[in-house]
Amino acid sequence: MVLHLVPRCSARLFWASPGWRRTYTQGTSVGLTSLGCPRHRHSPMARRGYSSASGSPEVMLTPERYPVQRLPFSTVSEEDLAAFERIVPGRVVTDPEQLEAYNVDWLRSVRGCSKVLLRPQTSEEVSQILRHCYKRNLAVNPQGGNTGLVGGSVPVFDEVILSTALMNQVISFHDVSGILVCQAGCVLEDLNAYVQERDFVMPLDLGAKGSCHIGGNVATNAGGLRFLRYGSLRGTVLGLEVVLADGTILNCLTSLRKDNTGYDLKQLFIGSEGTLGVITAVSILCPPRPKAVNVAFLGCPGFAEVLQTFSTCKGMLGEILSAFEFMDSECMQLVRQHLHLTNPVQESPFYVLVETSGSSAAHDAEKLTSVLEQMLNSGLVSDGTMATDQRKIQTLWALRERITEALSRDGCVFKYDISLPVERLYDLVIDVRARLGPRAKHVVGYGHLGDGNLHLNVTAEAFSQELLGALEPYVYSWTAEQRGSVSAEHGLGFKKKNVLGYSKPPEAMKLMQQLKVLLDPKGILNPYKTLPARA
Ligand SMILES: Cc1cc2nc3c(=O)[nH]c(=O)nc-3n(C[C@H](O)[C@H](O)[C@H](O)COP(=O)(O)OP(=O)(O)OC[C@H]3O[C@@H](n4cnc5c(N)ncnc54)[C@H](O)[C@@H]3O)c2cc1C
């Protein structure tokens, strides 16, 4: 049992391949800082190729796979297109080839048939678009980076796609408070680079950072890799500007830490997945950039040891513990097979990634080393490696961050994003593996253990109704029995909207429906998503 203080794996960067992030001619507006230039091409999503030339099979139209009926919205007419052209001149896309990428989700699991994509640059333009759509009864699908994993980001039928990609300006940054105000279409990775130059970090980080937008993050209440340290967006988002379904601009874009005047309306829109309004700008509190970051990657002999490792780290590392992630051996097998990443430690049934963020490099490294040595000696950990420099840290993080990408290369993926009491977290994976037997190609478990969040993923050669039937509602009932949540951080979107009842009582669901009617009486915003269809 050896603790390697440098990783054995190659130190090359894994994200060197060109990202698929779309680039547009940047809009400029006086006094704002434009982001989104292709400075940072660290996207792990180079896989994305929509054309059939990429060799990937055609994605089935959503209504062909799922039982869903088009609601009686209007269809886009020539007059509508002319009106849109007046509102966003030169930024109305109707070319079917260009539209393809916006009609299909990242997982290539759902596909709409929208005929038009609009690319506003300002909140006023969003307001005019929605005013027109509301009057004409046209359904609208707000879209950020289109990295959502529950089919919420693309149309189900022919909804108008409203993309925030050109709303990518920083409005202000205050270098004493760390409060950033920006437009909703800023890419998370660009924002992080922007605030890092000023000695701050974004309070959230996720594998999709090279493509997802801050507006999309807020709309999904994204969790991610820094949740353990900085908590939920419900705490760090200080204000929002939102355009309502009828075009009203609701300006709650305050930058106050404390504000107890009336109801906290921004909370309604955080996690509402584009069903209550279009988020156009965000005010968010950024924490100071930690001076020292260390990462350890460890092998554990069993899940009981993973849990004990977590308790030990919490107890001994205290306030410098900033992430605690776990993955099972099948995840490791997939990142090796599909992405050619190297396992830096000896083969183990489980792996954990421990990150510390503090103010003293030497002190933090010493503290982490002594915790790791203790865990090695007590048998909680069978092997480990530690990194203190940025390049090696990224190499270790890639093993965990790129699991989603490796899974998507393994075939058709059935994804479950579950909150559970931490001690039961892996039992669900074991049960599902036994239940499916050889019908599944892989059944894997990984996730944000520190937040009690399991990502259970099942892969198969192709979509199969029979496999889906074996998984659902089994996974949801199992979760409900533990009083868990059937969506910890990805939201409900289109694919999970009918399982809301497993995690919320009928009274709460009724109130949600009433709020939807109040804010969007015609139901034009992201229909068929988040809430179950009304009887
Ligand atoms: C590789 C990978 C790793 C991921 N890791 C994580 C993770 O660790 N944690 C996590 O929580 N998620 C994760 N995700 C899921 C996804 O990245 C997040 O849900 C992200 O917040 C979506 O942002 P987006 O800009 O891509 O939004 P989109 O995918 O475009 O949209 C998501 C939803 O938000 C709505 N929406 C988007 N923008 C707006 C807006 N401005 N106003 C109103 N509604 C809007 C859409 O209508 C849709 O319902 C991951 C995805 C991938 C592909």
Short mmCIF file of all heavy atoms in Angstrom, two decimals, residues 28 72 100 129 237 352 415 438 456:
data_model
loop_
_atom_site.label_atom_id
_atom_site.label_comp_id
_atom_site.label_asym_id
_atom_site.label_seq_id
_atom_site.Cartn_x
_atom_site.Cartn_y
_atom_site.Cartn_z
N THR A 28 -21.93 43.57 -29.50
CA THR A 28 -21.22 44.47 -28.61
C THR A 28 -22.20 45.46 -28.03
O THR A 28 -23.12 45.89 -28.70
CB THR A 28 -20.13 45.27 -29.35
OG1 THR A 28 -20.71 45.80 -30.53
CG2 THR A 28 -18.94 44.41 -29.70
N PRO A 72 -52.89 22.73 -28.56
CA PRO A 72 -53.38 23.57 -29.67
C PRO A 72 -52.73 24.96 -29.75
O PRO A 72 -53.41 25.98 -29.67
CB PRO A 72 -54.88 23.67 -29.39
CG PRO A 72 -55.01 23.48 -27.92
CD PRO A 72 -53.90 22.57 -27.49
N GLU A 100 -30.97 21.72 -36.84
CA GLU A 100 -30.84 20.34 -36.35
C GLU A 100 -30.17 20.28 -34.97
O GLU A 100 -30.64 19.60 -34.05
CB GLU A 100 -30.06 19.52 -37.39
CG GLU A 100 -29.83 18.06 -37.04
CD GLU A 100 -31.10 17.20 -37.06
OE1 GLU A 100 -32.17 17.73 -37.40
OE2 GLU A 100 -31.00 16.02 -36.68
N ILE A 129 -40.10 39.49 -28.26
CA ILE A 129 -40.37 38.15 -28.82
C ILE A 129 -41.52 37.49 -28.05
O ILE A 129 -42.48 36.98 -28.63
CB ILE A 129 -39.11 37.26 -28.75
CG1 ILE A 129 -38.04 37.75 -29.73
CG2 ILE A 129 -39.46 35.79 -29.04
CD1 ILE A 129 -36.67 37.10 -29.52
N VAL A 237 -27.19 32.87 -5.75
CA VAL A 237 -27.81 33.81 -6.69
C VAL A 237 -28.49 34.91 -5.87
O VAL A 237 -29.32 34.63 -5.01
CB VAL A 237 -28.83 33.09 -7.61
CG1 VAL A 237 -29.64 34.10 -8.41
CG2 VAL A 237 -28.11 32.14 -8.55
N VAL A 352 -12.48 7.25 -4.89
CA VAL A 352 -12.99 8.55 -4.45
C VAL A 352 -12.01 9.64 -4.83
O VAL A 352 -10.80 9.41 -4.91
CB VAL A 352 -13.29 8.61 -2.92
CG1 VAL A 352 -14.32 7.59 -2.51
CG2 VAL A 352 -12.05 8.49 -2.09
N LYS A 415 -30.62 7.36 -17.59
CA LYS A 415 -29.95 8.13 -16.53
C LYS A 415 -30.89 8.39 -15.36
O LYS A 415 -32.03 8.81 -15.57
CB LYS A 415 -29.49 9.48 -17.08
CG LYS A 415 -28.45 9.39 -18.16
CD LYS A 415 -27.93 10.75 -18.56
CE LYS A 415 -26.69 11.14 -17.82
NZ LYS A 415 -25.54 10.30 -18.09
N PRO A 438 -28.17 -9.66 -17.54
CA PRO A 438 -27.50 -9.42 -18.83
C PRO A 438 -28.27 -8.50 -19.78
O PRO A 438 -27.77 -8.16 -20.85
CB PRO A 438 -27.37 -10.83 -19.42
CG PRO A 438 -28.37 -11.66 -18.71
CD PRO A 438 -28.65 -11.03 -17.39
N LEU A 456 -27.10 7.08 -11.10
CA LEU A 456 -27.23 5.68 -11.51
C LEU A 456 -27.45 5.69 -13.02
O LEU A 456 -28.38 6.34 -13.51
CB LEU A 456 -28.45 5.05 -10.81
CG LEU A 456 -28.98 3.75 -11.41
CD1 LEU A 456 -28.02 2.59 -11.17
CD2 LEU A 456 -30.36 3.42 -10.83
#
